[in-house]
Amino acid sequence: MTTSDADPRASQPAESRRGFETPPRDTVSRTLFVAAVLCVCCSVAVSVAAVLLRPGQERNKLLDRKKNILMAAGLYPEGATASDVDRLFERVETRLVDFETGALLEEDPADYDQRDAARDPDWAVEIARDKDFGNIKRRAKRGLVYFVRENGALKQLVLPVHGKGLWGTMYAFLALQPDLNTVVGLSFYEHVETPGLGAEVENEKWKEHWRGKRLFDDKAEEIVIRHIKGKVNSKTPNAIHRFDGLSGATITTRGVTDLLRYWLGDDAYGPFLKRQKN
Amino acid sequence: MEKSKPRDVLLNPLFNTNPIALQVLGVCSALAVTSRLDTAITMCLSVIFVLALSNAAVSLIRRYIPNSIRIIVQMTIIATLVIVVDQFIRAFAYDISKQISVFVGLIITNCIVMGRAEAFAMKNGVGLSFLDGIGNALGYSLILVVVAVIREVLGKGSLFGIELLKKQTDGGWYAPNGLMLLPPSAFFIIGLLIWALRTWKKDQVEQEN
């Protein structure tokens, strides 16, 4: 007891020693006790906050997802409220797709979280290295697709896509016209790219220029959409298959090309899109 | 130990001992979140909350913290508060949280928070430490708000998202200053603010040995 309490006291400056007439603090048992109590208190504080706030956060997330799907489809008006979003989303039909066969499944997609499924070994597959353009390593066996209809007719098809950017995974919704080739919009709603550089995927001007781009070649067989360095000259013949690079964000831009190449390809939504076209 | 008056403890860090301008702490987050005023203000409110409460909490248990785990204990308290703040922002300001979630987490590494816990809260009472936390966070906030106003107005032509200067790309006259959108501009602005502050308060100028 005596050896351990003499040292810390002596090493402290004189003024603080005067105030601390409390029992020795630096014994092993005392240290462990303080550490344990602190950990319990902090854990409780964090857990309570997380659990109490989770419903609100989940609601926000779901609303945000609906909003992003509507935004990709160009259907989101400025200043829409939560109930506006819910109402607008009523014309969207959410369906599940089996990636391998490309068939639409009859199951109710409510509560299906494609991201969670990708993490579950029973509901996901590992992507072969040479096919994993988006560097996402695994993909759920089933994917979500969103049919946007107006008066019963299909106006747009929205697909969730994601792939690695520079700092992490970027998540977006790709909205396609009924020809399943022409882009209506590409809306990134979650990413951790650098503000001002990679985060410019959220720049309205860049998003706008996606409208009308064609992902596949004229025979609709090969995925030809890719980025260029700098701004696409709309007069060049291939302009419709090229999108603007983001200044100072080479890897992010490349990531966009790669993730599209993956999700439109045979390992992901490719089979489904082929089926839909026929 | 000198007895500091509550008023001094609260107001000194605004101009006399500003954590960014004089102590040169916490500059990193000042660069990152100040391209827009709404993210800067959210950051300021988060720092005020974390700094005041961490100072108070550390001060409350200062006599019971074993010396060997002092820093870790402070860090744990700060980290807990930051996580709670982050959860709140995600629940109540979801859009802003998407912009700054990463940087709110980095408040844990903000030198001002650890610095005040170690330099002030370990040696002073709870009330005074709480005020010191608020004071330093206000000093930090002052710099952040000034930088954010300059950067958003000159870099985007807007303030709080409301257009003030019509950009040429929107059919107006203003060509936005691209440098203001990049982090180094915050660095330059802070440098200019330090210069201005030390011209006003000459006692802050470092003496040459």
Side-chain angles (χ1 to χ4, degrees), chain B residues 187-205:
Chain B
F187 227 2
F188 303 145
I189 298 173
I190 290 175
L192 292 172
L193 287 176
I194 294 178
W195 183 12
L197 190 56
R198 293 188 189 191
T199 308
W200 174 26
K201 302 231 171 207
K202 298 209 171 30
D203 53 321
Q204 289 186 16
V205 178

Side-chain angles (χ1 to χ4, degrees), chain B residues 11-41:
Chain B
L11 297 179
N12 265 345
L14 280 174
F15 294 109
N16 294 335
T17 57
N18 188 294
I20 296 185
L22 185 69
Q23 303 173 54
V24 198
L25 297 175
V27 185
C28 6
S29 55
L31 307 189
V33 303
T34 48
S35 55
R36 295 162 46 157
L37 191 56
D38 54 1
T39 52
I41 294 214

Side-chain angles (χ1 to χ4, degrees), chain B residues 146-202:
Chain B
V146 171
V147 173
V149 167
I150 295 175
R151 285 183 72 191
E152 192 178 352
V153 171
L154 294 182
K156 291 200 165 100
S158 64
L159 201 59
F160 253 127
I162 305 167
E163 183 186 73
L164 287 183
L165 307 170
K166 206 170 172 76
K167 296 196 284 231
Q168 282 178 0
T169 47
D170 290 334
W173 60 273
Y174 185 64
N177 185 325
L179 176 63
M180 288 291 150
L181 294 174
L182 298 178
S185 63
F187 227 2
F188 303 145
I189 298 173
I190 290 175
L192 292 172
L193 287 176
I194 294 178
W195 183 12
L197 190 56
R198 293 188 189 191
T199 308
W200 174 26
K201 302 231 171 207
K202 298 209 171 30

Side-chain angles (χ1 to χ4, degrees), chain A residues 19-20 22 25-26 30-31 34-35 38 42 45-46 49-50 53 57 60-61 64 67 189 192 195 197 205, chain B residues 62-69 73 76-77 80 83-84 87-88 90-92 94-95 98 102-103 122 169 182:
Chain A
F20 295 138
T22 48
R25 299 178 293 165
D26 267 279
R30 194 58 187 277
T31 305
V34 170
L38 181 74
C42 290
V46 168
L53 295 170
Q57 291 172 359
N60 282 338
K61 259 189 157 160
D64 201 56
K67 185 176 112 176
Y189 61 92
V192 283
L197 301 174
K205 302 266 287 297
Chain B
R62 71 187 186 282
R63 294 187 213 273
Y64 307 106
I65 306 176
N67 215 34
S68 47
I69 57 171
V73 165
T76 310
I77 294 173
T80 305
I83 294 174
V84 169
Q87 294 293 315
F88 262 93
R90 278 193 224 211
F92 294 109
Y94 193 72
D95 286 330
K98 291 195 293 177
V102 176
F103 300 115
M122 286 298 287
T169 47
L182 298 178

Side-chain angles (χ1 to χ4, degrees), chain A residues 66-114:
Chain A
K66 289 186 180 172
K67 185 176 112 176
N68 287 309
I69 294 171
L70 291 173
M71 280 216 278
L75 297 168
Y76 180 79
E78 269 302 308
T81 64
S83 50
D84 287 337
V85 170
D86 284 327
R87 190 177 36 84
L88 287 164
F89 203 76
E90 275 164 25
R91 49 150 59 166
V92 178
E93 191 200 356
T94 312
R95 293 294 295 274
L96 276 174
V97 151
D98 180 288
F99 283 124
E100 216 170 320
T101 61
L104 274 173
L105 301 171
E106 290 308 318
E107 282 161 68
D108 181 11
D111 296 341
Y112 179 70
D113 188 319
Q114 200 170 333

